[in-house]
Amino acid sequence: MDGTVKSPPIRQWLGLIAVSLGVALIVVDITIVNVILAPIIHDLAIDSVEAQWIQESYAIVFAALLLITGRLSDLHGARKIFLIGLVVFGVTSVVAAIAPNGGLLILARFLQGAGGAMILPTSLALVNATFTGKARGQAFAIWGSTIGAAAAVGPLLGGWLADFSWRWAFGINIPLVAAIIAGALFYLPASPRTTGRIDVPGGVLSAIGLGSLAFALIEGRTHGWLITTEPLSIGGLSWSGGPSPVLVAFLVSALVLLTFWRRQAALGRRNDEPLMDVRLLSIPSFRNGNVVTLFVGLGEFGIIAVMPLWLQFALDYSAFQAGLALVALAAGSFCASGASFSMTASALTQVRIGLLLEAAGLVMLGLIAATDSTWWLIAIALFIYGIGVGFATAQVTNVVLVDVPAESAGQGSGIQSAARELGAALGIAVLTTLFFSTLTSSLRDRLTSTGLSGRDAEQLSGVVSQSAGSVIPSLSNAPQTATAADAAREAMATALEVSSYVCAGMLVLALAATLFIAPRTAGAGAEHEPARQEPSPR
């Protein structure tokens, strides 16, 4: 042997394309519904409660099932669970596309979340198992860039499809799922399995704990963090007063996840079969890398949730134009993917470069945020930010999973996916709360300075905030409220500026957290490898 490293065969790269497209599918479905919600409400004649669950049921179920699907991936093979997830996603997309009422659409969204929870962690496990060495870093670069690009393209695709019918936003998934399944069957080899069983009580505890936590993070601004500010209606039941359901959900989540952790630790000590082997956290790169993943989720996803509001209601972009502006982010993400192929820097170094570029892009966005920001300056800021996403999001996964034993790849991927999703949910919760709080206070101050009474200023700023800015165009069209509309646009620009700086700060914290990840050395995986059962013969 000459000691040279062979490049992976072309079929492995084709298999990676199938995996990446599967991930793109589930990420797009998180963001696309925000854009098509208005025509759904009009077409199906649904109320605000149903609209809320159409938006959020997917993300809650998605987060709740990640640990379970990660364990299933180890027991039954990552490719098999990936394919089942695609089938579930495709079938539920058909149901969503033809749904005659809000109830069936909500059910379809719940089940779509289950399909998505099968796809994300198994995609990680497949990439981690299929590629080694430098090729693994390149593969994760493509995988991560796809996530960044899909998050940006979702609003664009939704805005375009909404001009035809909101049903196409779900219908378009069907041919894509068929193509991805074909690619996975042809180009992905069957995955190894381990013998064992599912810890059913642990599965129930993890689903309740993670689901409750995701619900609390998503719903905090709507229903109140401590005291109920907006009734919660589920079926024929209504929670309309007293302690917020969000506070209760946080308490339930903390209690249940503590019970879950204690059970998993006890099973691990007995060499039983835990749903989540907590001994994986004894691997420094895995433990500390997941902390970085959490901070990255905090800093990355929140700004994408609020930026389209500024583009549409402060700058008067259409939904399609707002989505088009985010294409610069996707372009930067893919440029980073291409650049990583020729880079000799380690995965950890690329994470640090990415976090610096993300923070720089967000600082630039904060500096240019105004009511008359030019599109090309926005595009440059988002392009720089996108390059950072392409490096950081991709390679942090490589860092997290590099030392995880092959037979625990599903569990490791499930934990890393959960850290990513909870970080994203927390980031969106923090950023939307900050954004709308800043918008309300800034607008109130501006209206008061124009001579409006404190009570009227408070009421009008509340209306603008509760409408997420969508009332601004109608205010602008009426001569008596045109001044208030201008003030609302300025307040929204201020809110985006503050949000951009806060997101940049979170990413700097993520950068600081990378200092606790020791660079991988030869044999590091064996040195820190947790005790585990031997895998069954393939």
Side-chain angles (χ1 to χ4, degrees), residues 482-506:
T483 301
D486 292 338
R489 291 190 180 96
E490 292 171 0
M492 187 165 275
T494 299
L496 183 79
E497 178 185 1
V498 172
S499 299
S500 298
Y501 294 150
V502 170
C503 280
M506 290 178 180

Side-chain angles (χ1 to χ4, degrees), residues 229-244:
T229 57
E230 185 74 23
L232 170 66
S233 298
I234 302 177
L237 302 175
S238 178
W239 187 318
S240 57
S244 169

Side-chain angles (χ1 to χ4, degrees), residues 184-206:
L185 288 171
F186 278 110
Y187 300 116
L188 290 175
S191 303
R193 309 175 182 182
T194 59
T195 56
R197 61 177 176 81
I198 285 284
D199 171 28
V200 175
V204 172
L205 288 170
S206 74

Side-chain angles (χ1 to χ4, degrees), residues 26 120 188:
I26 62 175
L120 182 60
L188 290 175

Side-chain angles (χ1 to χ4, degrees), residues 438-534:
T438 306
L439 170 60
T440 302
S441 61
S442 180
L443 178 55
R444 184 179 60 244
D445 293 343
R446 282 178 165 83
L447 292 174
T448 303
S449 68
T450 63
L452 201 64
S453 69
R455 182 177 179 180
D456 289 342
E458 184 78 33
Q459 184 178 11
L460 186 53
S461 60
V463 168
V464 171
S465 180
Q466 288 170 11
S467 71
S470 60
V471 74
I472 293 176
S474 60
L475 292 175
S476 184
N477 292 334
Q480 63 270 29
T481 56
T483 301
D486 292 338
R489 291 190 180 96
E490 292 171 0
M492 187 165 275
T494 299
L496 183 79
E497 178 185 1
V498 172
S499 299
S500 298
Y501 294 150
V502 170
C503 280
M506 290 178 180
L507 292 168
V508 171
L509 287 176
L511 179 62
T514 65
L515 299 176
F516 296 95
I517 302 177
R520 189 186 183 205
T521 57
E527 179 185 349
H528 298 296
E529 191 172 302
R532 62 187 189 275
Q533 295 183 4
E534 292 299 318

